[in-house]
Amino acid sequence: KTNDELRRQILFILCQALNTEFLPDVSQNVYIEGKLYPKDELTNVTPNILSKTTRRLHLQPRHPISILRTLIEAHFNEFQHFNSFSPVVTAAQNFDDLGFPEDHPGRGATDSYYVNKSIMLRTHTSAHQLQAFRSGAEKFLISADVYRRDEIDSCHYPIFHQMEGAQIFNMSNVAEETLRDIDKTAFQPTESISTDDDTVIGSNNPIQPCHPIEAANAATMHLKHTLNVMVRRLFKEEKDLKVRWIDAYFPFTSPSWEMEILYKGKWLEICGCGVVKQELLDKAGRPDKIGWAFGLGLERISMILFDIPDIRLFWSQDSRFMDQFKPGEITKFQAFSKYPSCTKDISFWINDEREQGFHDNDFCEVVRDVAGDLAELVELIDDFTHPKTKKRSLCYRINYRSMDK
């Protein structure tokens, strides 16, 4: 250990002995879950975000996120459930292990929260997929909070919750295994839910060359059946629900799809999925397996099932929110605050040397640090370049509204 690490360790032990609070030096370090991480030029995680890393909404029994998690886990009752992975991961776990190309936009500091250049807050539960496969699990669910720099509106929040699901089969007899599994979970068609799937596997969404076509088709059939059954169970009380499958791209699955539902006149993605890239299973020491994985957003589904109109409400600690829900039950949210909104505009010039690197998410991060969850919406309403000086000015409209008062 370095002298600095030893000094911090000794200070921590002394503080414990004296029963006083250990206040870490955060000027050059980031303090998360009792550990110090050195800052560098890529550090962009903020105090506002760090303050929420311990909330773990998916583990609070009366919270809608946790209620939905337990309902899905009950549906996948033969799966192993991982719910306590740390949000701090390496960039390799989050990107490299999953085959993200070097130029993928998700790697950028405009999209992700970096503790330093090698450590970050996970952007998806897939960051633990290799870890779960290596544990020996053959079918599992991972639930966790994930972190992404994002815009500010009623459907986007820098922290949300995902559930990762995966199942693998023996490559040699995948057709028999999947058919046996499907027979156990057959469902009856219902008039209240219609499913449209006209996706076609081809050059734009290919089967992996290493997979026999029969094996890939069997895994695909099992995946789509599994998710169709899950949606029918979750949304059984919804009337006239329309579901559709569309082709998609993910670095760690091929072929890949997204599942969408029609909600209030708009198609909303609720799940991304596909056949696991064989390279990932090879890294996990499972070269004789083939399987699928999916990832779904718990907030997106909860907003529909519980009729929650604004994603900020999930972070409310107001008893009038939490007391509405009971473990194991889907209860429609009843609004308790009717406060009007307050709109303010702010404009500023961008320094010439920073113009190329400026991103809307940079401004949203400042708004979050100052206004917290009072900011309901941030939108760019004017982008002006002076005809003579060529300097650029941006004007943003900030809508403030308390969800609790």
Side-chain angles (χ1 to χ4, degrees):
K1 290 181 180 294
T2 66
N3 287 338
D4 284 343
E5 287 174 324
L6 285 172
R7 190 178 297 113
R8 284 193 294 270
Q9 206 167 54
I10 292 168
L11 176 60
F12 180 69
I13 294 168
L14 286 172
C15 288
Q16 284 186 312
L18 296 171
N19 197 27
T20 59
E21 185 179 3
F22 173 57
L23 299 175
D25 175 19
V26 294
S27 60
Q28 300 300 320
N29 300 280
V30 178
Y31 185 66
I32 311 174
E33 295 185 325
K35 295 182 181 179
L36 286 171
Y37 300 91
K39 294 180 179 179
D40 62 21
E41 66 278 3
L42 203 58
T43 303
N44 66 353
V45 65
T46 66
N48 177 52
I49 297 300
L50 292 175
S51 70
K52 293 182 170 70
T53 55
T54 57
R55 291 283 299 276
R56 307 293 172 88
L57 302 185
H58 65 293
L59 298 179
Q60 298 179 20
R62 295 175 62 90
H63 197 282
I65 297 295
S66 180
I67 294 170
L68 177 59
R69 172 187 63 81
T70 56
L71 288 174
I72 298 175
E73 287 179 348
H75 176 68
F76 292 97
N77 58 354
E78 295 181 354
F79 282 47
Q80 287 184 243
H81 305 150
F82 299 99
N83 297 322
S84 56
F85 286 131
S86 170
V88 181
V89 298
T90 65
Q93 286 175 298
N94 200 74
F95 296 123
D96 300 334
D97 289 346
L98 296 169
F100 277 74
E102 289 294 329
D103 59 351
H104 193 282
R107 290 180 179 265
T110 57
D111 286 29
S112 299
Y113 288 105
Y114 282 91
V115 177
N116 54 46
K117 61 185 177 182
S118 60
I119 302 293
M120 63 187 301
L121 298 180
R122 64 182 162 227
T123 65
H124 47 191
T125 46
S126 303
H128 303 290
Q129 201 178 107
L130 182 60
Q131 186 178 354
F133 280 132
R134 280 176 172 164
S135 74
E138 299 209 337
K139 42 188 175 182
F140 58 82
L141 298 175
I142 303 170
S143 299
D145 43 351
V146 299
Y147 301 76
R148 295 182 194 175
R149 301 181 89 219
D150 214 336
E151 57 197 287
I152 296 177
D153 62 32
S154 61
C155 294
H156 292 87
Y157 200 83
I159 310 164
F160 57 102
H161 295 77
Q162 280 189 340
M163 176 177 279
E164 187 92 1
Q167 183 168 357
I168 54 177
F169 309 90
N170 292 313
M171 187 82 77
S172 58
N173 63 339
V174 58
E176 293 84 351
E177 286 187 50
T178 54
L179 285 173
R180 189 165 54 247
D181 229 20
I182 288 172
D183 286 341
K184 291 192 302 183
T185 57
F187 63 88
Q188 294 296 323
T190 172
E191 293 183 1
S192 64
I193 300 177
S194 63
T195 303
D196 182 26
D197 182 5
D198 58 2
T199 58
V200 177
I201 294 176
S203 58
N204 292 327
N205 197 19
I207 289 175
Q208 298 168 53
C210 59
H211 287 161
I213 189 168
E214 296 82 5
N217 285 338
T220 295
M221 180 176 62
H222 188 274
L223 165 63
K224 290 189 173 183
H225 172 84
T226 300
L227 291 178
N228 283 330
V229 171
M230 180 194 72
V231 165
R232 278 168 167 74
R233 179 168 182 175
L234 287 177
F235 293 94
K236 61 184 178 183
E237 302 300 329
E238 299 293 322
K239 295 181 180 179
D240 301 321
L241 187 74
K242 290 181 171 56
V243 182
R244 73 177 182 185
W245 289 83
I246 62 173
D247 290 322
Y249 163 77
F250 304 106
F252 39 93
T253 57
S254 185
S256 306
W257 304 273
E258 287 178 353
M259 197 181 201
E260 298 183 332
I261 64 172
L262 188 63
Y263 180 67
K264 294 184 177 180
K266 295 182 178 180
W267 286 103
L268 296 178
E269 178 206 341
I270 60 169
C271 181
C273 60
V275 177
V276 176
K277 283 283 185 73
Q278 198 60 39
E279 295 95 319
L280 186 66
L281 291 173
D282 292 346
K283 287 180 186 176
R286 320 296 290 273
D288 57 335
K289 302 290 185 179
I290 184 173
W292 52 253
F294 70 80
L296 55 84
L298 293 175
E299 271 86 351
R300 180 66 58 85
I301 298 176
S302 294
M303 290 176 78
I304 297 169
L305 290 177
F306 292 89
D307 203 17
I308 294 174
D310 194 302
I311 198 168
R312 292 174 300 155
L313 277 164
F314 289 111
W315 295 90
S316 173
Q317 294 179 290
D318 194 308
S319 60
R320 293 173 296 175
F321 176 76
M322 295 301 297
D323 290 350
Q324 293 190 32
F325 308 105
K326 296 179 181 178
E329 296 183 16
I330 302 293
T331 306
K332 296 298 184 182
F333 169 71
Q334 300 296 317
F336 53 85
S337 175
K338 299 294 184 182
Y339 264 55
S341 63
C342 172
T343 300
K344 300 290 182 184
D345 295 348
I346 180 170
S347 61
F348 50 88
W349 297 101
I350 297 179
N351 292 334
D352 292 339
E353 65 273 16
R354 295 185 182 178
E355 183 171 352
Q356 297 304 317
F358 182 82
H359 194 281
D360 286 347
N361 288 348
D362 297 327
F363 180 70
C364 288
E365 213 58 53
V366 175
V367 173
R368 285 192 181 99
D369 272 346
V370 176
D373 288 348
L374 289 176
E376 179 182 58
L377 177 67
V378 173
E379 56 183 340
L380 180 67
I381 61 171
D382 189 59
D383 188 340
F384 168 74
T385 301
H386 195 282
K388 292 183 178 179
T389 66
K390 304 303 179 184
K391 291 192 68 174
R392 186 179 174 210
S393 169
L394 301 177
C395 183
Y396 287 89
R397 178 158 294 163
I398 308 174
N399 204 57
Y400 300 90
R401 189 198 309 266
S402 170
M403 299 302 296
D404 294 330
K405 287 186 177 180

